[in-house]
Amino acid sequence: MKQIHLFSITSSLHKEIPLSPAEEQFIRDIQTSLGEEFLDCGSDFTSYNEFDRNIIYIRTGGTEGVFRSLDIKGDITLLTSGRSNSLAASMEILSWLNSQGRRGTILHGSPEDIASAIIDGTRTSATPDNNFIRPLTDIDFGGARLGVIGRPSDWLIASDTNYGKAEELLGLKLVDIPIKALLGRLEKFEGDMKSFDGSVAIYEALKDIVREYSLSGLTIRCFDLLDTVHNTGCLALARLNAEGIPSSCEGDIPLLVSMMIAKRKTGSTGFQCNLSRIDGDELLFAHCTAPLDMLDGYEYDTHFESGLGTAIRGKIKTGEAFIYRVSPDLSCEVAIPATIIRNQNEPMLCRTQIVVNAPGASQYFLNQPLANHHLIVRGHAFRCY
């Protein structure tokens, strides 16, 4: 059997990750179960197309744009761990591959399960699981204006949205607002921008933008704030969503549209989150912000990837819920009935963490997810499946 070549992609934002995959216990455990070691090729993909057996280890979130820039051919096998937004990034990559008519596989689970899949040559199907996907329902927002503050984050490679379609199909007018419109307001703040007060200043500046541009919701390229003001939008978005102004992170426009639809259909706020781990029907979701009105309680922490700003470590109310998202091209939506069963607090994940039970959902996420970010909305799914 030819040796398996292990390539890896890591975001510089995740400084807690070991320098080499060979240093990770996760990789060591897979190799033990395989009975052989990977040939560690690191992040040098120049020889990728020369080999027959390749696995790409997506070690962290924020790596999707790097993947898209690589000139690699053929079917793609993505290895994921249950930490550092590895699975969420792989879902975005898989969604992009599917949109290009290419095949991809996500290897996820315990080291023993991953090794077994490699040995057996098991590949997840490129055929979507349509149990939860359907055409997007008709809805008209009557020209409601949504602010796009800065462009979408570079890693949202499968999440482009056509502005004209959004207005034609849903009556949503997307308004581009330069990030300097926010930064200019923050320059007037006289306190320490790195502090809690700086997080509040970001909230107040966004509220001012909402008023000036007559917005019904917004999305912000929030990671730009790390280098410019050394703070984040986590607290601001938690407050805005609780106040009935749908607001998404990372410039994710389709997720913002999803928030608008879920709010209109159910009256409920949605928690934007990444899927971090799958264990059968139990799914672990996490993010560094959560609408304050969804919480039984919360405490402040720093933003996970950067250690900056004021993030929300929230305790989301348990009970009936659904997982929701519209496709980037606005042609379809996914709504998966679920139950929020517990909150968690792990060190290597974003700050607000919940486990939901969603029978059958794992096949959707591993086969053909619409993208990485999804909403968790409490209550009944509209037109439940």
mmCIF file of all heavy atoms in Angstrom, residues 233-249 255 259 263 267-273 286-298 311-317 340 343 352 354 374-378:
data_model
loop_
_atom_site.group_PDB
_atom_site.id
_atom_site.type_symbol
_atom_site.label_atom_id
_atom_site.label_comp_id
_atom_site.label_asym_id
_atom_site.label_seq_id
_atom_site.Cartn_x
_atom_site.Cartn_y
_atom_site.Cartn_z
ATOM 1 N N GLY A 233 -16.442 42.501 17.464
ATOM 2 C CA GLY A 233 -17.851 42.878 17.439
ATOM 3 C C GLY A 233 -18.752 41.922 18.188
ATOM 4 O O GLY A 233 -19.982 42.030 18.091
ATOM 5 N N CYS A 234 -18.180 40.992 18.942
ATOM 6 C CA CYS A 234 -18.979 39.931 19.579
ATOM 7 C C CYS A 234 -20.075 40.484 20.490
ATOM 8 O O CYS A 234 -21.239 40.075 20.408
ATOM 9 C CB CYS A 234 -18.079 38.993 20.369
ATOM 10 S SG CYS A 234 -16.725 38.266 19.437
ATOM 11 N N LEU A 235 -19.712 41.381 21.383
ATOM 12 C CA LEU A 235 -20.687 41.960 22.307
ATOM 13 C C LEU A 235 -21.718 42.778 21.546
ATOM 14 O O LEU A 235 -22.927 42.698 21.819
ATOM 15 C CB LEU A 235 -19.988 42.825 23.348
ATOM 16 C CG LEU A 235 -20.895 43.594 24.308
ATOM 17 C CD1 LEU A 235 -21.719 42.635 25.156
ATOM 18 C CD2 LEU A 235 -20.071 44.526 25.199
ATOM 19 N N ALA A 236 -21.265 43.569 20.586
ATOM 20 C CA ALA A 236 -22.179 44.416 19.817
ATOM 21 C C ALA A 236 -23.244 43.584 19.111
ATOM 22 O O ALA A 236 -24.440 43.917 19.153
ATOM 23 C CB ALA A 236 -21.392 45.238 18.802
ATOM 24 N N LEU A 237 -22.847 42.491 18.460
ATOM 25 C CA LEU A 237 -23.808 41.668 17.732
ATOM 26 C C LEU A 237 -24.753 40.949 18.683
ATOM 27 O O LEU A 237 -25.929 40.751 18.378
ATOM 28 C CB LEU A 237 -23.077 40.673 16.839
ATOM 29 C CG LEU A 237 -22.147 41.293 15.792
ATOM 30 C CD1 LEU A 237 -21.600 40.217 14.853
ATOM 31 C CD2 LEU A 237 -22.851 42.371 14.984
ATOM 32 N N ALA A 238 -24.253 40.551 19.846
ATOM 33 C CA ALA A 238 -25.119 39.920 20.846
ATOM 34 C C ALA A 238 -26.240 40.865 21.268
ATOM 35 O O ALA A 238 -27.395 40.458 21.441
ATOM 36 C CB ALA A 238 -24.291 39.497 22.060
ATOM 37 N N ARG A 239 -25.907 42.137 21.428
ATOM 38 C CA ARG A 239 -26.906 43.122 21.844
ATOM 39 C C ARG A 239 -27.845 43.488 20.697
ATOM 40 O O ARG A 239 -29.062 43.585 20.883
ATOM 41 C CB ARG A 239 -26.198 44.367 22.390
ATOM 42 C CG ARG A 239 -25.463 44.136 23.691
ATOM 43 C CD ARG A 239 -24.828 45.403 24.243
ATOM 44 N NE ARG A 239 -25.819 46.420 24.581
ATOM 45 C CZ ARG A 239 -25.520 47.574 25.172
ATOM 46 N NH1 ARG A 239 -24.252 47.853 25.467
ATOM 47 N NH2 ARG A 239 -26.458 48.454 25.457
ATOM 48 N N LEU A 240 -27.296 43.698 19.508
ATOM 49 C CA LEU A 240 -28.137 44.078 18.374
ATOM 50 C C LEU A 240 -29.168 43.002 18.057
ATOM 51 O O LEU A 240 -30.349 43.299 17.826
ATOM 52 C CB LEU A 240 -27.261 44.342 17.151
ATOM 53 C CG LEU A 240 -26.410 45.617 17.193
ATOM 54 C CD1 LEU A 240 -25.396 45.621 16.058
ATOM 55 C CD2 LEU A 240 -27.289 46.869 17.134
ATOM 56 N N ASN A 241 -28.746 41.740 18.036
ATOM 57 C CA ASN A 241 -29.695 40.654 17.771
ATOM 58 C C ASN A 241 -30.785 40.599 18.826
ATOM 59 O O ASN A 241 -31.961 40.374 18.509
ATOM 60 C CB ASN A 241 -28.947 39.312 17.692
ATOM 61 C CG ASN A 241 -28.364 39.055 16.311
ATOM 62 O OD1 ASN A 241 -29.073 39.004 15.324
ATOM 63 N ND2 ASN A 241 -27.053 38.902 16.246
ATOM 64 N N ALA A 242 -30.416 40.801 20.081
ATOM 65 C CA ALA A 242 -31.408 40.777 21.156
ATOM 66 C C ALA A 242 -32.391 41.932 21.039
ATOM 67 O O ALA A 242 -33.531 41.839 21.503
ATOM 68 C CB ALA A 242 -30.705 40.819 22.513
ATOM 69 N N GLU A 243 -31.967 43.011 20.396
ATOM 70 C CA GLU A 243 -32.829 44.182 20.215
ATOM 71 C C GLU A 243 -33.678 44.096 18.950
ATOM 72 O O GLU A 243 -34.385 45.038 18.605
ATOM 73 C CB GLU A 243 -31.964 45.451 20.174
ATOM 74 C CG GLU A 243 -31.287 45.753 21.503
ATOM 75 C CD GLU A 243 -30.249 46.858 21.397
ATOM 76 O OE1 GLU A 243 -30.122 47.448 20.295
ATOM 77 O OE2 GLU A 243 -29.570 47.127 22.393
ATOM 78 N N GLY A 244 -33.609 42.962 18.253
ATOM 79 C CA GLY A 244 -34.436 42.780 17.065
ATOM 80 C C GLY A 244 -33.810 43.282 15.779
ATOM 81 O O GLY A 244 -34.512 43.452 14.774
ATOM 82 N N ILE A 245 -32.489 43.514 15.794
ATOM 83 C CA ILE A 245 -31.769 43.923 14.587
ATOM 84 C C ILE A 245 -30.877 42.759 14.182
ATOM 85 O O ILE A 245 -29.779 42.596 14.716
ATOM 86 C CB ILE A 245 -30.917 45.186 14.839
ATOM 87 C CG1 ILE A 245 -31.791 46.327 15.356
ATOM 88 C CG2 ILE A 245 -30.194 45.609 13.559
ATOM 89 C CD1 ILE A 245 -31.003 47.526 15.850
ATOM 90 N N PRO A 246 -31.333 41.889 13.267
ATOM 91 C CA PRO A 246 -30.507 40.747 12.869
ATOM 92 C C PRO A 246 -29.129 41.197 12.428
ATOM 93 O O PRO A 246 -29.000 42.099 11.586
ATOM 94 C CB PRO A 246 -31.309 40.122 11.724
ATOM 95 C CG PRO A 246 -32.731 40.498 12.016
ATOM 96 C CD PRO A 246 -32.649 41.885 12.582
ATOM 97 N N SER A 247 -28.095 40.581 12.992
ATOM 98 C CA SER A 247 -26.722 41.010 12.738
ATOM 99 C C SER A 247 -25.812 39.787 12.710
ATOM 100 O O SER A 247 -25.758 39.040 13.685
ATOM 101 C CB SER A 247 -26.247 41.974 13.835
ATOM 102 O OG SER A 247 -27.114 43.088 13.937
ATOM 103 N N SER A 248 -25.109 39.609 11.592
ATOM 104 C CA SER A 248 -24.255 38.420 11.456
ATOM 105 C C SER A 248 -22.779 38.796 11.458
ATOM 106 O O SER A 248 -22.400 39.922 11.137
ATOM 107 C CB SER A 248 -24.595 37.654 10.167
ATOM 108 O OG SER A 248 -24.184 38.357 9.017
ATOM 109 N N CYS A 249 -21.965 37.821 11.818
ATOM 110 C CA CYS A 249 -20.515 37.991 11.875
ATOM 111 C C CYS A 249 -19.882 37.755 10.504
ATOM 112 O O CYS A 249 -20.477 37.133 9.625
ATOM 113 C CB CYS A 249 -19.893 36.979 12.839
ATOM 114 S SG CYS A 249 -20.608 36.888 14.477
ATOM 115 N N LEU A 255 -26.124 34.208 5.686
ATOM 116 C CA LEU A 255 -26.515 33.933 7.072
ATOM 117 C C LEU A 255 -27.397 35.059 7.607
ATOM 118 O O LEU A 255 -28.374 34.817 8.315
ATOM 119 C CB LEU A 255 -25.266 33.757 7.930
ATOM 120 C CG LEU A 255 -25.413 32.987 9.252
ATOM 121 C CD1 LEU A 255 -26.054 33.819 10.340
ATOM 122 C CD2 LEU A 255 -26.177 31.675 9.061
ATOM 123 N N MET A 259 -31.171 34.872 9.010
ATOM 124 C CA MET A 259 -31.664 35.497 10.242
ATOM 125 C C MET A 259 -32.955 36.267 9.997
ATOM 126 O O MET A 259 -33.903 36.193 10.789
ATOM 127 C CB MET A 259 -30.606 36.458 10.806
ATOM 128 C CG MET A 259 -29.411 35.810 11.444
ATOM 129 S SD MET A 259 -28.241 37.085 12.004
ATOM 130 C CE MET A 259 -27.242 36.152 13.158
ATOM 131 N N LYS A 263 -36.512 35.179 11.649
ATOM 132 C CA LYS A 263 -37.174 36.169 12.508
ATOM 133 C C LYS A 263 -38.586 36.463 12.003
ATOM 134 O O LYS A 263 -39.539 36.532 12.795
ATOM 135 C CB LYS A 263 -36.340 37.455 12.529
ATOM 136 C CG LYS A 263 -36.829 38.512 13.498
ATOM 137 C CD LYS A 263 -36.437 38.166 14.908
ATOM 138 C CE LYS A 263 -36.738 39.317 15.864
ATOM 139 N NZ LYS A 263 -36.410 38.975 17.253
ATOM 140 N N GLY A 267 -40.574 34.821 14.659
ATOM 141 C CA GLY A 267 -40.480 35.848 15.689
ATOM 142 C C GLY A 267 -39.307 35.637 16.622
ATOM 143 O O GLY A 267 -39.134 36.390 17.590
ATOM 144 N N SER A 268 -38.471 34.624 16.348
ATOM 145 C CA SER A 268 -37.379 34.269 17.257
ATOM 146 C C SER A 268 -36.031 34.706 16.701
ATOM 147 O O SER A 268 -35.823 34.776 15.494
ATOM 148 C CB SER A 268 -37.349 32.758 17.493
ATOM 149 O OG SER A 268 -38.538 32.321 18.116
ATOM 150 N N THR A 269 -35.127 34.973 17.618
ATOM 151 C CA THR A 269 -33.756 35.316 17.275
ATOM 152 C C THR A 269 -32.972 34.047 16.979
ATOM 153 O O THR A 269 -33.246 32.997 17.547
ATOM 154 C CB THR A 269 -33.094 36.064 18.453
ATOM 155 O OG1 THR A 269 -33.967 37.096 18.896
ATOM 156 C CG2 THR A 269 -31.774 36.674 18.033
ATOM 157 N N GLY A 270 -31.973 34.134 16.117
ATOM 158 C CA GLY A 270 -31.144 32.978 15.796
ATOM 159 C C GLY A 270 -29.712 33.142 16.275
ATOM 160 O O GLY A 270 -29.170 34.249 16.277
ATOM 161 N N PHE A 271 -29.109 32.048 16.689
ATOM 162 C CA PHE A 271 -27.720 31.996 17.131
ATOM 163 C C PHE A 271 -26.849 31.559 15.965
ATOM 164 O O PHE A 271 -26.925 30.419 15.520
ATOM 165 C CB PHE A 271 -27.605 31.011 18.305
ATOM 166 C CG PHE A 271 -26.204 30.640 18.719
ATOM 167 C CD1 PHE A 271 -25.179 31.576 18.762
ATOM 168 C CD2 PHE A 271 -25.916 29.332 19.097
ATOM 169 C CE1 PHE A 271 -23.888 31.218 19.157
ATOM 170 C CE2 PHE A 271 -24.639 28.962 19.504
ATOM 171 C CZ PHE A 271 -23.629 29.904 19.532
ATOM 172 N N GLN A 272 -26.037 32.466 15.435
ATOM 173 C CA GLN A 272 -25.099 32.122 14.358
ATOM 174 C C GLN A 272 -23.957 31.316 14.952
ATOM 175 O O GLN A 272 -23.303 31.753 15.901
ATOM 176 C CB GLN A 272 -24.536 33.374 13.707
ATOM 177 C CG GLN A 272 -23.435 33.075 12.685
ATOM 178 C CD GLN A 272 -22.837 34.316 12.065
ATOM 179 O OE1 GLN A 272 -23.378 35.409 12.205
ATOM 180 N NE2 GLN A 272 -21.722 34.164 11.369
ATOM 181 N N CYS A 273 -23.685 30.137 14.366
ATOM 182 C CA CYS A 273 -22.663 29.288 14.973
ATOM 183 C C CYS A 273 -22.009 28.386 13.940
ATOM 184 O O CYS A 273 -22.498 28.217 12.826
ATOM 185 C CB CYS A 273 -23.259 28.448 16.106
ATOM 186 S SG CYS A 273 -24.782 27.605 15.683
ATOM 187 N N ALA A 286 -20.719 26.081 18.153
ATOM 188 C CA ALA A 286 -20.069 27.089 18.986
ATOM 189 C C ALA A 286 -19.849 28.379 18.204
ATOM 190 O O ALA A 286 -19.690 28.360 16.983
ATOM 191 C CB ALA A 286 -18.718 26.566 19.494
ATOM 192 N N HIS A 287 -19.840 29.494 18.930
ATOM 193 C CA HIS A 287 -19.441 30.790 18.378
ATOM 194 C C HIS A 287 -19.166 31.733 19.541
ATOM 195 O O HIS A 287 -19.536 31.440 20.684
ATOM 196 C CB HIS A 287 -20.500 31.364 17.444
ATOM 197 C CG HIS A 287 -19.927 31.895 16.162
ATOM 198 N ND1 HIS A 287 -20.309 33.084 15.601
ATOM 199 C CD2 HIS A 287 -18.970 31.396 15.333
ATOM 200 C CE1 HIS A 287 -19.640 33.282 14.475
ATOM 201 N NE2 HIS A 287 -18.817 32.269 14.296
ATOM 202 N N CYS A 288 -18.523 32.873 19.252
ATOM 203 C CA CYS A 288 -18.119 33.792 20.313
ATOM 204 C C CYS A 288 -19.148 34.874 20.606
ATOM 205 O O CYS A 288 -18.882 35.795 21.366
ATOM 206 C CB CYS A 288 -16.771 34.428 19.978
ATOM 207 S SG CYS A 288 -15.392 33.312 20.281
ATOM 208 N N THR A 289 -20.293 34.789 19.971
ATOM 209 C CA THR A 289 -21.380 35.705 20.269
ATOM 210 C C THR A 289 -22.670 34.907 20.294
ATOM 211 O O THR A 289 -22.745 33.823 19.715
ATOM 212 C CB THR A 289 -21.458 36.837 19.222
ATOM 213 O OG1 THR A 289 -22.450 37.787 19.628
ATOM 214 C CG2 THR A 289 -21.791 36.300 17.844
ATOM 215 N N ALA A 290 -23.645 35.387 20.998
ATOM 216 C CA ALA A 290 -24.970 34.767 21.038
ATOM 217 C C ALA A 290 -25.960 35.842 21.446
ATOM 218 O O ALA A 290 -25.655 36.666 22.326
ATOM 219 C CB ALA A 290 -25.008 33.606 22.033
ATOM 220 N N PRO A 291 -27.143 35.892 20.818
ATOM 221 C CA PRO A 291 -28.127 36.911 21.184
ATOM 222 C C PRO A 291 -28.463 36.836 22.672
ATOM 223 O O PRO A 291 -28.771 35.756 23.192
ATOM 224 C CB PRO A 291 -29.340 36.556 20.319
ATOM 225 C CG PRO A 291 -28.756 35.813 19.153
ATOM 226 C CD PRO A 291 -27.613 35.027 19.720
ATOM 227 N N LEU A 292 -28.391 37.952 23.357
ATOM 228 C CA LEU A 292 -28.597 37.940 24.802
ATOM 229 C C LEU A 292 -29.995 37.478 25.187
ATOM 230 O O LEU A 292 -30.195 36.937 26.283
ATOM 231 C CB LEU A 292 -28.327 39.339 25.376
ATOM 232 C CG LEU A 292 -26.910 39.885 25.170
ATOM 233 C CD1 LEU A 292 -26.746 41.222 25.875
ATOM 234 C CD2 LEU A 292 -25.849 38.897 25.645
ATOM 235 N N ASP A 293 -30.975 37.654 24.297
ATOM 236 C CA ASP A 293 -32.334 37.245 24.635
ATOM 237 C C ASP A 293 -32.539 35.733 24.526
ATOM 238 O O ASP A 293 -33.596 35.230 24.898
ATOM 239 C CB ASP A 293 -33.366 37.978 23.771
ATOM 240 C CG ASP A 293 -33.214 37.693 22.289
ATOM 241 O OD1 ASP A 293 -32.085 37.398 21.850
ATOM 242 O OD2 ASP A 293 -34.217 37.759 21.563
ATOM 243 N N MET A 294 -31.541 34.997 24.036
ATOM 244 C CA MET A 294 -31.632 33.535 23.967
ATOM 245 C C MET A 294 -31.035 32.864 25.198
ATOM 246 O O MET A 294 -31.077 31.631 25.321
ATOM 247 C CB MET A 294 -30.897 33.004 22.728
ATOM 248 C CG MET A 294 -31.547 33.316 21.406
ATOM 249 S SD MET A 294 -30.656 32.542 20.014
ATOM 250 C CE MET A 294 -31.046 30.795 20.275
ATOM 251 N N LEU A 295 -30.477 33.656 26.110
ATOM 252 C CA LEU A 295 -29.637 33.111 27.162
ATOM 253 C C LEU A 295 -30.309 33.097 28.526
ATOM 254 O O LEU A 295 -31.047 34.006 28.888
ATOM 255 C CB LEU A 295 -28.340 33.920 27.257
ATOM 256 C CG LEU A 295 -27.554 34.095 25.948
ATOM 257 C CD1 LEU A 295 -26.313 34.933 26.187
ATOM 258 C CD2 LEU A 295 -27.200 32.753 25.338
ATOM 259 N N ASP A 296 -30.011 32.040 29.282
ATOM 260 C CA ASP A 296 -30.394 31.987 30.693
ATOM 261 C C ASP A 296 -29.396 32.738 31.560
ATOM 262 O O ASP A 296 -29.699 33.106 32.690
ATOM 263 C CB ASP A 296 -30.473 30.527 31.163
ATOM 264 C CG ASP A 296 -31.822 29.896 30.853
ATOM 265 O OD1 ASP A 296 -32.814 30.642 30.775
ATOM 266 O OD2 ASP A 296 -31.884 28.668 30.698
ATOM 267 N N GLY A 297 -28.230 32.934 31.045
ATOM 268 C CA GLY A 297 -27.171 33.650 31.746
ATOM 269 C C GLY A 297 -25.945 33.695 30.865
ATOM 270 O O GLY A 297 -25.834 32.970 29.889
ATOM 271 N N TYR A 298 -25.007 34.568 31.214
ATOM 272 C CA TYR A 298 -23.783 34.663 30.420
ATOM 273 C C TYR A 298 -22.692 35.332 31.233
ATOM 274 O O TYR A 298 -22.933 35.972 32.264
ATOM 275 C CB TYR A 298 -24.026 35.435 29.121
ATOM 276 C CG TYR A 298 -24.443 36.883 29.293
ATOM 277 C CD1 TYR A 298 -23.498 37.907 29.324
ATOM 278 C CD2 TYR A 298 -25.796 37.224 29.429
ATOM 279 C CE1 TYR A 298 -23.883 39.227 29.478
ATOM 280 C CE2 TYR A 298 -26.181 38.541 29.583
ATOM 281 C CZ TYR A 298 -25.225 39.539 29.599
ATOM 282 O OH TYR A 298 -25.605 40.850 29.763
ATOM 283 N N ALA A 311 -16.050 38.730 24.290
ATOM 284 C CA ALA A 311 -16.913 37.703 23.709
ATOM 285 C C ALA A 311 -17.958 37.283 24.736
ATOM 286 O O ALA A 311 -17.825 37.545 25.930
ATOM 287 C CB ALA A 311 -16.091 36.500 23.266
ATOM 288 N N ILE A 312 -18.977 36.609 24.253
ATOM 289 C CA ILE A 312 -20.067 36.139 25.107
ATOM 290 C C ILE A 312 -19.936 34.632 25.324
ATOM 291 O O ILE A 312 -19.912 33.858 24.372
ATOM 292 C CB ILE A 312 -21.438 36.437 24.468
ATOM 293 C CG1 ILE A 312 -21.605 37.926 24.215
ATOM 294 C CG2 ILE A 312 -22.571 35.892 25.341
ATOM 295 C CD1 ILE A 312 -21.593 38.774 25.461
ATOM 296 N N ARG A 313 -19.804 34.245 26.583
ATOM 297 C CA ARG A 313 -19.898 32.831 26.947
ATOM 298 C C ARG A 313 -21.295 32.648 27.546
ATOM 299 O O ARG A 313 -21.528 32.910 28.722
ATOM 300 C CB ARG A 313 -18.824 32.434 27.948
ATOM 301 C CG ARG A 313 -18.803 30.939 28.261
ATOM 302 C CD ARG A 313 -17.813 30.599 29.361
ATOM 303 N NE ARG A 313 -16.457 30.965 29.038
ATOM 304 C CZ ARG A 313 -15.641 30.245 28.277
ATOM 305 N NH1 ARG A 313 -16.080 29.105 27.747
ATOM 306 N NH2 ARG A 313 -14.409 30.639 28.038
ATOM 307 N N GLY A 314 -22.235 32.244 26.694
ATOM 308 C CA GLY A 314 -23.627 32.221 27.101
ATOM 309 C C GLY A 314 -24.139 30.833 27.418
ATOM 310 O O GLY A 314 -23.619 29.826 26.933
ATOM 311 N N LYS A 315 -25.168 30.805 28.220
ATOM 312 C CA LYS A 315 -25.891 29.569 28.514
ATOM 313 C C LYS A 315 -27.237 29.654 27.802
ATOM 314 O O LYS A 315 -28.159 30.338 28.236
ATOM 315 C CB LYS A 315 -26.092 29.405 30.018
ATOM 316 C CG LYS A 315 -26.788 28.097 30.400
ATOM 317 C CD LYS A 315 -26.946 27.981 31.904
ATOM 318 C CE LYS A 315 -27.658 26.680 32.275
ATOM 319 N NZ LYS A 315 -27.872 26.562 33.740
ATOM 320 N N ILE A 316 -27.344 28.973 26.659
ATOM 321 C CA ILE A 316 -28.561 29.027 25.859
ATOM 322 C C ILE A 316 -29.622 28.110 26.459
ATOM 323 O O ILE A 316 -29.323 26.999 26.907
ATOM 324 C CB ILE A 316 -28.252 28.638 24.400
ATOM 325 C CG1 ILE A 316 -27.381 29.730 23.763
ATOM 326 C CG2 ILE A 316 -29.521 28.442 23.585
ATOM 327 C CD1 ILE A 316 -27.078 29.533 22.295
ATOM 328 N N LYS A 317 -30.845 28.587 26.453
ATOM 329 C CA LYS A 317 -31.950 27.812 27.007
ATOM 330 C C LYS A 317 -32.120 26.504 26.242
ATOM 331 O O LYS A 317 -32.071 26.477 25.016
ATOM 332 C CB LYS A 317 -33.245 28.630 26.937
ATOM 333 C CG LYS A 317 -33.166 29.962 27.674
ATOM 334 C CD LYS A 317 -34.364 30.844 27.371
ATOM 335 C CE LYS A 317 -34.205 32.219 28.008
ATOM 336 N NZ LYS A 317 -35.324 33.123 27.660
ATOM 337 N N ILE A 340 -32.057 21.334 21.785
ATOM 338 C CA ILE A 340 -30.872 21.788 22.526
ATOM 339 C C ILE A 340 -30.861 21.020 23.846
ATOM 340 O O ILE A 340 -31.777 21.147 24.662
ATOM 341 C CB ILE A 340 -30.927 23.299 22.786
ATOM 342 C CG1 ILE A 340 -31.026 24.065 21.463
ATOM 343 C CG2 ILE A 340 -29.688 23.749 23.574
ATOM 344 C CD1 ILE A 340 -31.312 25.549 21.630
ATOM 345 N N ASN A 343 -25.415 22.812 27.454
ATOM 346 C CA ASN A 343 -24.350 23.762 27.153
ATOM 347 C C ASN A 343 -23.019 23.155 27.582
ATOM 348 O O ASN A 343 -22.972 22.324 28.490
ATOM 349 C CB ASN A 343 -24.573 25.076 27.908
ATOM 350 C CG ASN A 343 -25.757 25.852 27.382
ATOM 351 O OD1 ASN A 343 -25.598 26.792 26.608
ATOM 352 N ND2 ASN A 343 -26.967 25.494 27.795
ATOM 353 N N THR A 352 -19.469 30.465 23.296
ATOM 354 C CA THR A 352 -20.794 29.898 23.564
ATOM 355 C C THR A 352 -20.889 28.564 22.844
ATOM 356 O O THR A 352 -20.708 28.491 21.632
ATOM 357 C CB THR A 352 -21.908 30.839 23.086
ATOM 358 O OG1 THR A 352 -21.863 32.045 23.859
ATOM 359 C CG2 THR A 352 -23.281 30.199 23.275
ATOM 360 N N ILE A 354 -23.102 24.805 22.481
ATOM 361 C CA ILE A 354 -24.298 24.023 22.794
ATOM 362 C C ILE A 354 -24.253 22.692 22.044
ATOM 363 O O ILE A 354 -23.703 22.594 20.954
ATOM 364 C CB ILE A 354 -25.598 24.770 22.431
ATOM 365 C CG1 ILE A 354 -25.624 25.156 20.935
ATOM 366 C CG2 ILE A 354 -25.808 25.971 23.317
ATOM 367 C CD1 ILE A 354 -26.968 25.684 20.470
ATOM 368 N N HIS A 374 -24.401 28.180 10.409
ATOM 369 C CA HIS A 374 -25.823 27.874 10.445
ATOM 370 C C HIS A 374 -26.440 28.597 11.638
ATOM 371 O O HIS A 374 -25.725 29.069 12.530
ATOM 372 C CB HIS A 374 -26.066 26.365 10.563
ATOM 373 C CG HIS A 374 -25.860 25.627 9.272
ATOM 374 N ND1 HIS A 374 -24.613 25.475 8.699
ATOM 375 C CD2 HIS A 374 -26.736 25.004 8.433
ATOM 376 C CE1 HIS A 374 -24.731 24.795 7.569
ATOM 377 N NE2 HIS A 374 -26.000 24.498 7.381
ATOM 378 N N LEU A 375 -27.747 28.687 11.627
ATOM 379 C CA LEU A 375 -28.486 29.276 12.748
ATOM 380 C C LEU A 375 -29.084 28.186 13.611
ATOM 381 O O LEU A 375 -29.577 27.176 13.096
ATOM 382 C CB LEU A 375 -29.639 30.143 12.243
ATOM 383 C CG LEU A 375 -29.394 31.548 11.728
ATOM 384 C CD1 LEU A 375 -30.730 32.163 11.328
ATOM 385 C CD2 LEU A 375 -28.702 32.403 12.758
ATOM 386 N N ILE A 376 -29.069 28.403 14.917
ATOM 387 C CA ILE A 376 -29.895 27.617 15.831
ATOM 388 C C ILE A 376 -30.990 28.548 16.329
ATOM 389 O O ILE A 376 -30.716 29.609 16.891
ATOM 390 C CB ILE A 376 -29.097 27.090 17.036
ATOM 391 C CG1 ILE A 376 -27.874 26.298 16.568
ATOM 392 C CG2 ILE A 376 -30.002 26.239 17.924
ATOM 393 C CD1 ILE A 376 -28.182 25.008 15.888
ATOM 394 N N VAL A 377 -32.242 28.155 16.089
ATOM 395 C CA VAL A 377 -33.392 28.965 16.480
ATOM 396 C C VAL A 377 -34.246 28.142 17.430
ATOM 397 O O VAL A 377 -34.576 26.990 17.136
ATOM 398 C CB VAL A 377 -34.224 29.392 15.251
ATOM 399 C CG1 VAL A 377 -35.335 30.361 15.667
ATOM 400 C CG2 VAL A 377 -33.331 30.031 14.189
ATOM 401 N N ARG A 378 -34.603 28.705 18.563
ATOM 402 C CA ARG A 378 -35.422 27.976 19.517
ATOM 403 C C ARG A 378 -36.868 27.937 19.042
ATOM 404 O O ARG A 378 -37.364 28.866 18.418
ATOM 405 C CB ARG A 378 -35.348 28.608 20.912
ATOM 406 C CG ARG A 378 -33.959 28.554 21.522
ATOM 407 C CD ARG A 378 -33.934 29.030 22.961
ATOM 408 N NE ARG A 378 -34.555 28.041 23.837
ATOM 409 C CZ ARG A 378 -35.737 28.186 24.414
ATOM 410 N NH1 ARG A 378 -36.454 29.279 24.204
ATOM 411 N NH2 ARG A 378 -36.213 27.245 25.195
#
